Amino acid sequence: MQTPQALNAAFASGRPHDVIVETLRFAGAKGILDVGCGEGRLVARLIEEGFEAVGADPNPQVLETARANAPGARFADAGAEMLPFEDGGFDAVVFLNSLHHVPVGSMARALGEARRIGREGGPVVIVEPLAEGSYFEAMQPVEDETAIRHAAGVAIADAVRAGWFGLKGNVVFAATSRFANAEEFVASLIAVDPARTASAERRRAEVERRFRECSQKDEGGFRLVQPLRIYWLAIQKN
C-alpha cells in the first residue's frame, strides 16, 4: 500500500485511532460507520477530526457510555449481522477489534452488511488483533482467542475471493496498551466483553502472574504490546 507521510507516521505511532483517521482521510471518506463501537471513543475521535461518524453496537450498556463520550452522535443498538441503515448510506465502514467478536457463523453476513451499507468503491477498514504479542499472552487465561481471530481472517479472505471487496492494503503494526497494574488490565478485559467476568475472577491469580511476566514497566505503569493487522478493502457491488 502506498501511503502518505501522515499515514506512515500513524503506523509508526502504534495508535489504532491515528491509523484509522489517516486511512479514512487518505481514502477521502466523510460519512463513517463504526461497527462494534463499544464505548464510542473512536466515534468521538472521528467527529473531533471532522468526520460524520455513527456507531453501532449490540450492547446497550456500553452505548450509554458511548453517548456520554460522544454527545450528539448517533448510535444504533445493533449487531454487525443486521445493521439498521440504508443501502450505500456511508462512505466507509470501520471494524476496530470487533469482527472477531461476531459469531463465526455470522462473520460473512456481517461483512455482507458492511458491503451493503457502504458506497461502491468505498473503504471497509478492518483492524484485527493477531494471536501473538504480550497482551495476547497475558489475556489467554481469561479467553484464548486463537481460533476466533483466525476465523476472522479467513472470513475476510473468503469475502475478497468472492468478489465482495478488492484488497487495497494489508499491514501489520504494533499497538501498545498501558496499565497501572494487573487489576486494571483485568478490568479492561471485562469491559470489552462482560461475558469474561466469571473466567477472569476464576483465573485471576494466573492472569496476574502472566501480566507480571509479559508486561514491561513503563512510565509509572506497565505496557503490553498487541500486533494488529489492518485490512483496507474497497467495496465491489457489480
Side-chain angles (χ1 to χ4, degrees):
M1 182 185 352
Q2 289 187 337
T3 57
Q5 185 175 358
L7 187 48
N8 281 331
F11 280 121
S13 77
R15 292 188 289 269
H17 285 191
D18 290 359
V19 171
I20 290 171
V21 165
E22 296 304 332
T23 299
L24 294 172
R25 278 185 178 146
F26 190 61
K30 183 69 173 178
I32 316 297
L33 176 66
D34 179 12
V35 180
C37 66
E39 294 183 342
R41 300 187 190 284
L42 177 59
V43 170
R45 171 68 185 278
L46 291 171
I47 291 173
E48 180 184 321
E49 297 287 349
F51 295 93
E52 297 171 1
V54 175
D57 198 283
N59 186 335
Q61 290 181 319
V62 299
L63 287 180
E64 290 183 15
T65 304
R67 292 185 177 99
N69 286 331
R74 179 184 172 196
F75 292 96
D77 183 348
E81 311 94 312
M82 190 174 293
L83 296 169
F85 304 107
E86 65 181 18
D87 295 1
F90 293 93
D91 295 330
V93 181
V94 174
F95 292 80
L96 173 57
N97 291 336
S98 58
L99 182 60
H100 71 281
H101 288 290
V102 176
V104 174
S106 299
M107 286 181 180
R109 185 173 178 182
L111 292 170
E113 280 288 88
R115 178 177 179 243
R116 178 184 66 80
I117 64 172
R119 62 173 174 80
E120 173 74 30
V124 174
V125 179
I126 304 174
V127 179
E128 277 291 304
L130 303 182
E132 58 187 66
S134 57
Y135 187 105
F136 175 73
E137 292 174 11
M139 74 167 280
Q140 269 188 301
V142 174
E143 184 177 7
D144 186 347
E145 292 187 337
T146 301
I148 197 73
R149 293 183 183 189
H150 174 72
V154 170
I156 294 167
D158 286 347
V160 171
R161 280 193 291 267
W164 292 5
F165 308 101
L167 180 61
K168 298 192 68 175
N170 178 343
V171 176
V172 173
F173 65 102
T176 298
S177 298
R178 291 179 170 82
F179 302 93
N181 47 44
E183 184 176 348
E184 184 177 274
F185 173 63
V186 173
S188 73
L189 295 178
I190 294 172
V192 170
D193 185 355
R196 294 170 172 168
T197 302
S199 176
E201 292 304 323
R202 187 170 61 253
R203 300 179 178 174
R204 180 175 289 272
E206 185 179 356
V207 175
E208 291 178 349
R209 177 183 63 79
R210 288 237 192 164
F211 180 85
R212 290 192 299 270
E213 292 175 352
C214 297
S215 64
Q216 293 184 314
K217 194 161 181 59
D218 180 31
E219 299 178 5
F222 301 87
R223 73 174 183 269
L224 294 168
V225 176
Q226 175 60 65
L228 302 171
R229 185 182 300 276
I230 179 171
Y231 301 86
W232 182 346
L233 310 178
I235 295 172
Q236 299 178 164
K237 297 192 177 185
N238 299 320

